[in-house]
Amino acid sequence: MISRFFGTGRRRSFGGASGDVFYGVSAVFALWVVYANIYALPDALLVGILFVSGIYTLLFLAVGGSNDALDRPSLLDWGLAASSAACGIYFFMIRESLATHITLLYPLSDGQLFFGALLMFLTLEATRRTTGLGLTAVVLIFMAYNLWGHIIPPPLGHGYIDFSSFIDTLMYTTDGVFGVPIQVAASYVFLFVLFGSLLSKAGGADFMFQLAAALTGRSPGGPAKIAIISSGMYGMISGSPTSDVATTGSVTIPIMKRLGYSARFAGAVEVAASTGGAAMPPVMGSAAFILAEYTGIDYRSVVLAALIPAILYYLGIYIQVHLRALRRGLRGVTETDPILETLKSGWVFIVPLIVITAALLVGYTPTFVAVFGTLSLLASSMLRRQTRMGPLALMRAIGETTVRMLPVAGACAAAGLVIGGLTMTGLSMKASGLVSLVAEAGDLPLLLLGALITIILGLGMPTPSAYILAAVLVGPAFAAAELAVLPANMFLLYFALLSALTPPIAVAAFAAAAIADEDAMKIAVTAVKLAATGFVLPFVFVWNPAFLAMSSLPMIAIAAAGGCVAVIILAHVLEAEMRGVLRLPALLVAIAVVSPYPMVSVPLICIAAGLGIWWWRSGTLLFLGPVKSPGERA
């Protein structure tokens, strides 16, 4: 009974006439969100309330109350959906009083208190149905602290907060449920998810897979390399490691298994590749938009900063896969289309990516970047019969955007409850003060603690929520230690992403386990090894901000070259049978080449590059022991 209550609900699949109606209503809602963003409706609080109420109305119909719920909405589901709609109608009717309401100065009316409490309850239930126990439990703990924390002795206790003030702060301001997370979800994130839905419906996901196959499919370990490239391209649009695994992994994992990879390694490759997609420019995932909004840093700067780390992350996975394929004699796929033929048939999907990149570089806001990308996609897809979408397909794709946003909206609204509670009680500053005590021992212990806290917060939790909570709890301590804002927040973003593959609750690994027919924890452990570069990179770019393009062009170029050398060394240490006596010196060289001191890094980069060219031309692998027979499985 407990597991049924705290587990995620069943995603319903609507078909026939009911499906047309549901997706039609979802499409109308999506178009309203687009309208609200393009015309920049002035009342952010009212827009947030209407967005949440509309999302919840559809959510309670699309997601059942338990994993074994019926495939059609129950009477309770209809009641919750009607309650959500009623909240939206009520708040719209009192919009004028909302605009003049001063929090904690004007008392709430009975109606405002009732509908505020009702919408808060609906947020908790929406969070439980879409994300499960993890985030729901965190929210309930913080709510309990807000209401009864006054009985806790100092320094963690706080003053008495009555229920009316509690509802007033969380539900009638932009500091609670309708704060930065929901504002971002209702704008940038929604528009880019719309772009991704249309791209997928037009056949963009298939093109990405075919392009990856044309580039790397025939090389040793080709299926795994296809998974890396296609998952990275799809992941930057979806922004969700779990959905990326489910989408691309359903194709790549069976192919890898069929051509010689173990189920464990096949699943791990897909998990590691899918997890990094949300950090890959130019789109990135929803957490990156929240980072830009939360820190006040221009999104274009965030995208440019993310480029080198993202490339290095995938380079690390790629080299490990390549080394394993060479050592184990794993072949590529035998039949792939020529790359020129692939590009000829799928160029329509490259055009919108070019438009998005150009719009970012010119300096348009993320809202208009997404709009331009979507319009260019619709225009280019009409030029080929194979990619052209009819009215029904277009409606379905637009409606699918709203469906994809259901769990994101629930998680962001729940995170707003936590943030509002932290602000109300001052707990964020108290927690930050405790973390800051560690800073007295130096930046490295502080960063290690910040990484640990972020990973723990992210266990079983969506990436945006994990980043938001980490930014609120750990961010002030990083600021007190005088760490630069962008590196510090990118540090937290990376570990929030990596929590999706970190045991013991590696949600992306569980998605891969169902496809690979393998134990999820075994997949997660191997995925952590493949993603080792991602665990190291955040420490590197805090130490050397040139990795985030925060320096002169020569220093950025040196950092990129040093990063490539370090990643190659790390991959050999992890995957190749390197002689034990060489491991420690190799790691020391890897640390030196990424240092912010050119007098140290440049000579070692040149020496390493020379040795690499010599080993490559001699036809041997760097530091490798004996190569195993082709028949041995990975």
Side-chain angles (χ1 to χ4, degrees):
M1 184 68 182
I2 295 177
S3 62
R4 288 187 60 195
F5 179 76
F6 284 108
T8 56
R10 177 186 179 183
R11 294 289 189 90
R12 296 188 173 104
S13 55
F14 294 97
S18 62
D20 291 339
V21 172
F22 179 80
Y23 280 98
V25 174
S26 299
V28 170
F29 178 79
L31 292 174
W32 172 80
V33 175
V34 174
Y35 170 82
N37 278 279
I38 292 177
Y39 290 96
L41 298 184
D43 193 339
L45 177 61
L46 180 61
V47 171
I49 291 172
L50 294 178
F51 175 79
V52 168
S53 299
I55 280 283
Y56 288 176
T57 302
L58 296 167
L59 185 151
F60 290 119
L61 299 178
V63 183
S66 63
N67 194 40
D68 57 355
L70 297 175
D71 201 33
R72 63 175 62 183
S74 66
L75 186 61
L76 175 61
D77 296 330
W78 282 106
L80 293 173
S83 299
S84 302
C87 287
I89 294 171
Y90 174 80
F91 284 114
F92 182 76
M93 291 174 59
I94 65 166
R95 60 188 181 280
E96 292 183 1
S97 62
L98 281 178
T100 58
H101 178 74
I102 301 178
T103 307
L104 303 181
L105 180 61
Y106 297 156
L108 297 178
S109 67
D110 291 341
Q112 289 174 327
L113 185 61
F114 172 79
F115 280 99
L118 176 60
L119 193 55
M120 183 182 67
F121 165 77
L122 294 171
T123 297
L124 290 173
E125 175 61 7
T127 303
R128 183 194 69 78
R129 291 191 180 203
T130 55
T131 65
L133 172 61
L135 183 56
T136 309
V138 170
V139 174
L140 289 172
I141 290 170
F142 278 101
M143 288 177 62
Y145 175 77
N146 294 336
L147 292 173
W148 297 294
H150 60 278
I151 65 177
I152 301 175
L156 294 179
H158 58 77
Y160 175 71
I161 299 173
D162 62 74
F163 186 71
S164 179
S165 299
F166 176 71
I167 295 296
D168 197 357
T169 302
L170 294 182
M171 308 306 298
Y172 289 91
T173 71
T174 53
D175 293 328
V177 169
F178 311 110
V180 169
I182 275 294
Q183 297 297 328
V184 173
S187 53
Y188 318 143
V189 176
F190 195 98
L191 294 176
F192 272 101
V193 172
L194 173 62
F195 170 76
S197 298
L198 292 171
L199 184 69
S200 179
K201 194 69 174 178
D206 294 334
F207 165 70
M208 291 175 183
F209 181 86
Q210 292 164 4
L211 178 61
L215 288 170
T216 62
R218 293 179 180 271
S219 64
K225 294 173 182 177
I226 294 172
I228 295 170
I229 297 174
S230 61
S231 296
M233 289 191 294
Y234 186 81
M236 72 178 179
I237 296 171
S238 71
S240 170
T242 306
S243 65
D244 194 359
V245 168
T247 303
T248 60
S250 60
V251 177
T252 59
I253 291 176
I255 294 176
M256 282 188 275
K257 289 177 63 178
R258 189 166 63 248
L259 294 181
Y261 281 100
S262 66
R264 173 177 180 171
F265 192 78
V269 169
E270 181 61 43
V271 168
S274 297
T275 298
M280 174 61 75
V283 179
M284 305 179 69
S286 56
F289 294 108
I290 295 173
L291 184 154
E293 190 75 17
Y294 182 76
T295 60
I297 298 172
D298 182 59
Y299 183 70
R300 177 176 54 176
S301 300
V302 175
V303 169
L304 292 174
L307 182 59
I308 294 176
I311 292 173
L312 294 177
Y313 175 85
Y314 279 100
L315 180 63
I317 302 173
Y318 189 94
I319 294 175
Q320 286 191 66
V321 165
H322 183 69
L323 291 174
R324 176 167 293 218
L326 290 177
R327 289 174 52 236
R328 307 295 174 92
L330 296 170
R331 64 190 188 279
V333 293
T334 56
E335 295 182 4
T336 59
D337 294 331
I339 186 169
L340 290 179
E341 183 178 329
T342 302
L343 291 173
K344 182 180 178 180
S345 62
W347 63 269
V348 295
F349 303 114
I350 299 177
V351 171
L353 295 178
I354 294 174
V355 170
I356 285 176
T357 304
L360 278 172
L361 293 176
V362 170
Y364 283 100
T365 64
T367 296
F368 283 98
V369 169
V371 170
F372 293 154
T374 302
L375 292 176
S376 65
L377 170 64
L378 290 173
S380 60
S381 67
M382 294 298 292
L383 299 177
R384 290 181 59 87
R385 183 176 58 82
Q386 296 89 337
T387 59
R388 195 174 299 143
M389 290 179 284
L392 184 59
L394 186 61
M395 181 203 72
R396 281 267 179 172
I398 296 174
E400 183 66 27
T401 302
T402 304
V403 176
R404 292 186 181 188
M405 283 297 299
L406 298 181
V408 177
C412 287
L417 282 175
V418 175
I419 293 173
L422 290 172
T423 304
M424 193 189 319
T425 61
L427 180 61
S428 59
M429 297 307 299
K430 297 172 186 177
S432 178
L434 294 176
V435 175
S436 296
L437 294 176
V438 180
E440 298 177 2
D443 288 347
L444 182 58
L446 176 62
L447 291 171
L448 288 170
L449 181 60
L452 179 62
I453 291 174
T454 306
I455 287 176
I456 291 174
L457 288 173
L459 296 178
M461 194 178 295
T463 297
S465 304
Y467 164 72
I468 293 165
L469 295 180
V472 172
L473 291 172
V474 183
F478 281 5
E482 299 184 351
L483 298 180
V485 175
L486 181 54
N489 280 272
M490 285 291 289
F491 180 96
L492 297 175
L493 175 62
Y494 256 76
F495 280 103
L497 281 171
L498 292 169
S499 65
L501 58 76
T502 306
I505 310 176
V507 290
F510 279 96
I515 302 172
D517 193 21
E518 178 59 279
D519 181 76
M521 287 302 100
K522 292 180 179 179
I523 290 176
V525 170
T526 306
V528 168
K529 177 183 174 183
L530 287 169
T533 301
F535 288 92
V536 176
L537 272 172
F539 296 93
V540 172
F541 58 62
V542 169
W543 183 34
N544 185 359
F547 279 87
L548 298 180
M550 296 174 61
S551 188
S552 63
L553 284 177
M555 291 298 293
I556 294 172
I558 292 171
C564 291
V565 171
V567 166
I568 292 171
I569 292 174
L570 181 60
H572 279 80
V573 169
L574 292 171
E575 189 59 43
E577 292 185 353
M578 181 181 288
R579 298 173 180 87
V581 70
L582 295 175
R583 291 182 183 272
L584 181 58
L587 289 174
L588 291 176
V589 171
I591 294 172
V593 294
V594 298
S595 74
Y597 312 111
M599 296 297 290
V600 175
S601 59
V602 172
L604 288 172
I605 291 172
C606 294
I607 294 171
L611 287 173
I613 292 172
W614 180 79
W615 265 302
W616 175 69
R617 294 190 64 182
S618 66
T620 60
L621 293 175
L622 181 60
F623 298 144
L624 275 182
V627 177
K628 296 192 176 181
S629 60
E632 191 163 348
R633 288 176 60 84

